[in-house]
Amino acid sequence: MNHPTAAAIFNKDELRTEWHDKALWYVRNKRDLSAKSVPEWEELRNLAEAIKANVLSNLDNYLIEFEENAQRNGIKVHWAKDAAEHNKIVHGILEKKSVKKLVKSKSMLTEECHLNGYLEEQGIEVVDTDLGERIVQLAKEPPSHIVMPAIHKKKEDIGTLFHEKLGTEQGASDPQYLTEAARQHLRVNFLSADASLSGVNFAIAETGGIVVCTNEGNADLGINLAPVHIASMGIEKIIPKAEHLGVFLRLLARSATGQPITSFSSHFHGPKPGSEMHIVIVDNGRTEQLGREDFRKSLNCIRCGACMNTCPVYRRSGGHSYGYTVPGPIGSILSPGKDLKKYSTLPFASTLCGSCSDVCPVKIDIHTQLYKWRQIIAKEHQLPWSKRQAMKIAGYMFAHPKLYRFAGKAGRAMLRMMPRTLVYGPWNAWGKQRDLPEPPKESFRDWYIKNRKK
Amino acid sequence: MKHSAMKVALFIPCYVDQFYPQVGIATLELLEKQGVEVHFPTDQTCCGQPMANSGCEDQGQETAKLFVENFKDYDYIVGPTGSCVLHVREHFNKIPQTEAVKKVRAKTYELCEFLTDVLKVHSFDVSFPYKVGLHLSCHGQRGMRMAQSSELVGQDFSKMRSLLAMVKDIQLIDLDRKDECCGFGGTFAVAEEAVSVKMGKDRIADHKKNGAQVLTGGDMSCLMHMEGIIKRKKEDVKVMHIAEILNGKTV
């Protein structure tokens, strides 16, 4: 389903759309207050942008440096060129250890690779342990947001889901009660898991260690209890030095939720005694994106989700309307590189208001990239035929002043003469919920010639 | 440069020319009151943004060239729009960059920006005794930095708000969301009709909740979108372009 269709369905329940919008605006507001408490905020953004530019320009060297240091720390490093290879590597590690149950903390990369489904087909039980992730996993849905995966669900929806899946009381919707039920349910799984998998927020080249940022402590519990830890990371997660963490950790949580820092910023620099630690470094289209000059900066992304919270379109269409693992503005510049045809409506799911670019902690020029993807989509003939023809005609008309004036005059006259029912037929998308402006008899030019040109 | 010595061209966006001549007139009169001699090149059409924002930049190149041809001989080009002006500055980069193109890109101004930065206006001899809500259109706001955007950390300022504050008896209201997009977005308004209208409704509700009798702004396109919803819903808010208020029009 394309974005406008899915968004129109989402908007059928106007009160729910308003609720969704307000929930996310609340987070955006918290982010503003938090950012404004840091006077050097813009300087931090500049620094983060510069560090990322350096990383992307020297990515090959940093990756090798990271691998060497990680290996020195006793970590096993694997390289995956795509999602399939990543999933196979993870399965291979689990199979060797006869793992029956895997606990996972949040990892958008494994969502991107569709790891859960793959492992379940191989007979491995996968339990997402981030509360929001567990909710969408139980509901058999993809996450609708990269930081708040179940933000599309009201507490009543979760009450119904937990009643069905976890045996909570029917009709219960008290968040504390439901969260406690999830805690108890997850605790059992933490204790019985044979392996854990986490994402990676930052991989430090000079130390060969990784940092995982969470609020629930679930990554730490999973990693520290199970004898095997697998961390999956995209190649762009590298930062050169540990000292750079200060820049990113300050930006990440403030941008994401308005917190000064995530509750847990956990550093993993090797396996705990008697256990294994693996890092799977995944490309899956990132090198290709790196090679696209206009779009490489999208790899700056630290997955804070601020562009989703601020996007007036995302807030009023929901994450699922994008149909891609990473929704919202950032998803709309990442997805066309994966499948231009499939995601051809996403760069158009924006008014180009630019709020995403201003909110982005690593200064990705998101709205400019949306504009550029639009040009490519049109060139590759992925625009609807009618739109392409309309633009061709408009382009010709606006290049010919006499024709423009004639069309304008005739159009206005027609609008004035036509009965309302004809103007506002089903073909008039503008007029479905909006009136057209009153067409005047005189254009500005007509007036000017009459009144100023002597 | 003395105001009277400036050669200023008036750029009226196509849809303003066709549907909102009163906004063109207000802009012209407002500039004339500042002692500026204003010319309107009569072969102007459009800046090419509708095609470009739809992905068809190529189809807009001839339009862009025509724009340059029409406006290349002036010291300044001034239009009552942030959106079209931003297009000229930012996206006239695909046609050959002749001296004329470079000059036109550098010298095209949004009306309020021109009043503030070039003419340095300090007062308007007009009164507007109403509660007014100012809609900051995104392209002027974040594209041209005509006001501090709410996402960035820094000193607050707003060129449009400062100009409106010079009008006598005006009561400027504050909004809950001071610079959220109205949902017009060019072809977005029809391609993403549902979200577009919802965004517009929410903006209008914010203005109404905070007591606006008049909703104003610098881009008639955003105002046309919101006015369309207001008319359909028979809402009790009047929509006016900022040039009309600054030029002394009454409700």
Side-chain angles (χ1 to χ4, degrees):
Chain A
M1 196 184 294
N2 66 27
H3 188 272
T5 310
I9 293 169
F10 188 86
N11 271 273
K12 276 191 177 145
D13 188 344
E14 189 166 357
L15 286 178
R16 200 181 170 100
T17 304
E18 281 173 13
W19 164 80
H20 190 265
D21 165 67
K22 287 200 176 90
L24 287 151
W25 183 259
Y26 172 77
V27 184
R28 154 76 209 270
N29 239 334
K30 268 178 73 188
R31 172 266 170 212
D32 287 358
L33 292 172
S34 181
K36 275 158 200 176
S37 73
V38 180
E40 69 273 28
W41 183 257
E42 299 306 330
E43 200 185 325
L44 278 179
R45 291 175 74 222
N46 288 335
L47 270 172
E49 180 191 26
I51 295 167
K52 283 287 182 179
N54 174 288
V55 167
L56 293 179
S57 300
N58 302 285
L59 193 53
D60 47 349
N61 294 328
Y62 285 130
L63 281 166
I64 290 165
E65 185 187 347
F66 174 75
E67 180 188 37
E68 283 170 4
N69 288 328
Q71 283 168 342
R72 204 167 297 142
N73 295 339
I75 301 168
K76 288 183 183 144
V77 179
H78 312 258
W79 298 86
K81 71 170 189 289
D82 55 21
E85 222 172 83
H86 165 264
N87 292 350
K88 246 169 100 179
I89 291 167
V90 172
H91 179 242
I93 299 166
L94 299 177
E95 203 176 28
K96 234 189 203 161
K97 289 277 158 186
S98 311
V99 169
K100 298 270 176 301
K101 183 187 282 191
L102 174 75
V103 284
K104 270 178 67 200
S105 64
K106 211 157 75 58
S107 150
M108 287 316 295
L109 177 62
T110 60
E111 292 286 345
E112 177 187 319
C113 296
H114 302 292
L115 176 71
N116 286 15
Y118 174 84
L119 290 181
E120 278 156 9
E121 272 171 33
Q122 317 291 323
I124 293 169
E125 188 189 350
V126 182
V127 180
D128 271 306
T129 60
D130 171 272
L131 178 58
E133 277 286 336
R134 186 61 179 154
I135 291 168
V136 293
Q137 191 185 24
L138 289 173
K140 297 190 168 45
E141 289 173 11
S144 73
H145 188 288
I146 61 173
V147 174
M148 300 168 282
I151 192 71
H152 59 290
K153 288 203 176 298
K154 292 191 173 187
K155 57 185 193 288
E156 291 78 15
D157 304 332
I158 295 162
T160 309
L161 179 73
F162 278 14
H163 170 65
E164 196 185 304
K165 304 281 181 180
L166 306 181
T168 54
E169 279 174 50
Q170 190 159 16
S173 65
D174 175 48
Q176 189 145 9
Y177 168 74
L178 294 174
T179 309
E180 185 56 33
R183 271 171 76 93
Q184 296 306 330
H185 157 75
L186 287 171
R187 194 58 55 107
V188 176
N189 283 295
F190 279 125
L191 291 169
S192 57
D194 314 301
S196 76
L197 188 143
S198 74
V200 171
N201 287 93
F202 305 101
I204 309 158
E206 71 166 353
T207 67
I210 60 163
V211 176
V212 181
C213 303
T214 68
N215 274 326
E216 296 165 24
N218 56 313
D220 303 81
L221 211 47
I223 292 165
N224 286 305
L225 285 171
V228 180
H229 172 202
I230 304 170
S232 295
M233 61 173 268
I235 54 171
E236 83 283 18
K237 292 290 167 194
I238 291 276
I239 56 171
K241 294 177 176 191
E243 68 188 49
H244 297 143
L245 271 175
V247 175
F248 291 104
L249 290 178
R250 294 183 77 194
L251 287 167
L252 176 63
R254 285 189 173 88
S255 298
T257 58
Q259 293 166 268
I261 194 158
T262 41
S263 308
F264 301 87
S265 304
S266 308
H267 299 238
F268 299 99
H269 274 78
K272 56 189 182 292
S275 70
E276 283 179 19
M277 179 172 172
H278 299 261
I279 293 178
V280 190
I281 302 173
V282 186
D283 186 324
N284 203 33
R286 285 164 177 73
T287 303
E288 225 179 323
Q289 189 80 337
L290 189 64
R292 297 181 179 113
E293 208 189 326
D294 285 343
F295 304 110
R296 71 193 303 237
K297 210 176 171 185
S298 62
L299 295 172
N300 279 14
C301 183
I302 55 172
R303 301 292 191 266
C304 70
C307 62
M308 286 155 218
N309 306 339
T310 205
C311 179
V313 178
Y314 173 90
R315 279 189 264 112
R316 291 176 185 80
S317 60
H320 290 154
S321 66
Y322 293 80
Y324 182 66
T325 310
V326 180
I330 182 69
S332 301
I333 59 171
L334 291 172
S335 56
K338 295 267 185 180
D339 187 337
L340 194 72
K341 192 175 170 160
K342 189 170 172 195
Y343 302 114
S344 67
T345 59
L346 296 190
F348 292 93
S350 161
T351 58
L352 303 181
C353 78
S355 181
C356 46
S357 304
D358 274 1
V359 91
C360 179
V362 285
K363 297 186 88 164
I364 304 171
D365 52 342
I366 303 180
H367 74 290
T368 307
Q369 294 193 27
L370 288 168
Y371 176 89
K372 287 178 177 168
W373 273 120
R374 291 181 182 189
Q375 310 308 323
I376 294 173
I377 286 161
K379 273 204 187 79
E380 302 288 321
H381 307 294
Q382 297 303 336
L383 277 188
W385 182 85
S386 56
K387 193 172 188 173
R388 231 167 49 229
Q389 293 310 310
M391 290 307 142
K392 228 182 209 169
I393 294 165
Y396 185 82
M397 180 182 76
F398 286 131
H400 296 83
K402 279 185 188 146
L403 179 62
Y404 156 75
R405 295 197 287 266
F406 171 76
K409 197 169 185 162
R412 279 183 285 122
M414 246 171 70
L415 273 177
R416 278 199 308 274
M417 284 176 338
M418 262 158 54
R420 197 175 162 91
T421 44
L422 210 61
V423 175
Y424 290 95
W427 48 84
N428 181 352
W430 175 277
K432 220 170 130 190
Q433 303 182 71
R434 277 170 296 215
D435 275 14
L436 285 160
E438 231 31 85
K441 285 213 168 91
E442 239 178 25
S443 68
F444 172 76
R445 184 181 182 275
D446 296 337
W447 178 92
Y448 182 84
I449 287 172
K450 224 188 263 171
N451 292 279
R452 287 292 191 278
K453 270 234 145 127
K454 299 280 147 51
Chain B
M1 201 188 290
K2 271 179 75 178
H3 295 181
S4 55
M6 289 175 185
K7 233 181 131 192
V8 173
L10 181 62
F11 158 42
I12 296 299
C14 52
Y15 67 95
V16 173
D17 176 44
Q18 292 297 325
F19 288 103
Y20 297 100
Q22 73 275 18
V23 174
I25 296 166
T27 307
L28 176 67
E29 290 179 351
L30 180 60
L31 288 169
E32 286 174 343
K33 279 185 198 168
Q34 304 303 319
V36 177
E37 203 186 311
V38 187
H39 303 263
F40 176 78
T42 51
D43 264 349
Q44 60 179 287
T45 59
C46 165
C47 64
Q49 184 176 198
M51 291 77 87
N53 279 9
S54 302
C56 304
E57 231 171 25
D58 294 352
Q59 308 291 353
Q61 302 310 358
E62 292 307 311
T63 305
K65 285 180 196 160
L66 176 68
F67 187 100
V68 173
E69 204 41 47
N70 277 318
F71 289 106
K72 66 180 186 327
D73 296 327
Y74 295 90
D75 298 323
Y76 294 100
I77 300 125
V78 183
T81 161
S83 192
C84 309
V85 168
L86 180 70
H87 183 75
V88 171
R89 286 193 192 165
E90 266 193 2
H91 296 300
F92 275 21
N93 57 348
K94 293 287 155 74
I95 48 176
Q97 297 299 295
T98 60
E99 286 310 309
V101 172
K102 281 194 245 173
K103 182 181 163 195
V104 164
R105 288 180 69 185
K107 291 291 180 184
T108 302
Y109 280 75
E110 189 277 340
L111 171 66
C112 292
E113 189 189 33
F114 185 71
L115 290 169
T116 307
D117 298 341
V118 181
L119 299 185
K120 302 193 189 337
V121 172
H122 293 295
S123 65
F124 293 101
D125 191 21
V126 294
S127 160
F128 197 73
Y130 300 97
K131 286 189 168 176
V132 175
L134 172 62
H135 175 70
L136 292 172
S137 293
C138 304
H139 289 171
Q141 163 78 348
R142 297 192 189 80
M144 290 166 48
R145 303 290 174 207
M146 285 178 52
Q148 175 70 12
S149 83
S150 59
E151 297 86 6
L152 298 179
V153 176
Q155 194 64 42
D156 215 20
F157 73 98
S158 166
K159 292 179 186 175
M160 283 194 184
R161 207 179 163 94
S162 300
L163 290 176
L164 282 174
M166 294 172 199
V167 173
K168 293 182 190 80
D169 311 313
I170 198 167
Q171 280 177 274
L172 284 167
I173 61 150
D174 287 315
L175 298 167
D176 291 356
R177 303 184 186 182
K178 71 168 193 169
D179 57 7
E180 189 174 49
C181 178
C182 70
F184 170 67
T187 49
F188 177 89
V190 289
E192 289 268 5
E193 190 265 347
V195 180
S196 169
V197 169
K198 184 62 189 144
M199 286 167 70
K201 279 186 184 171
D202 290 353
R203 282 296 72 227
I204 295 160
D206 194 352
H207 283 268
K208 278 188 64 180
K209 184 188 157 208
N210 289 292
Q213 297 168 296
V214 177
L215 198 169
T216 193
D219 269 283
M220 212 51 227
S221 47
C222 309
L223 298 179
M224 168 172 77
H225 160 69
M226 287 190 281
E227 187 184 53
I229 297 168
I230 286 169
K231 275 193 190 162
R232 180 65 59 90
K233 291 180 71 189
K234 301 192 168 49
E235 300 266 22
D236 188 24
V237 188
K238 181 110 174 101
V239 175
M240 285 169 79
H241 191 274
I242 191 168
E244 297 179 280
I245 296 178
L246 298 180
N247 191 43
K249 189 179 170 184
T250 45
V251 172

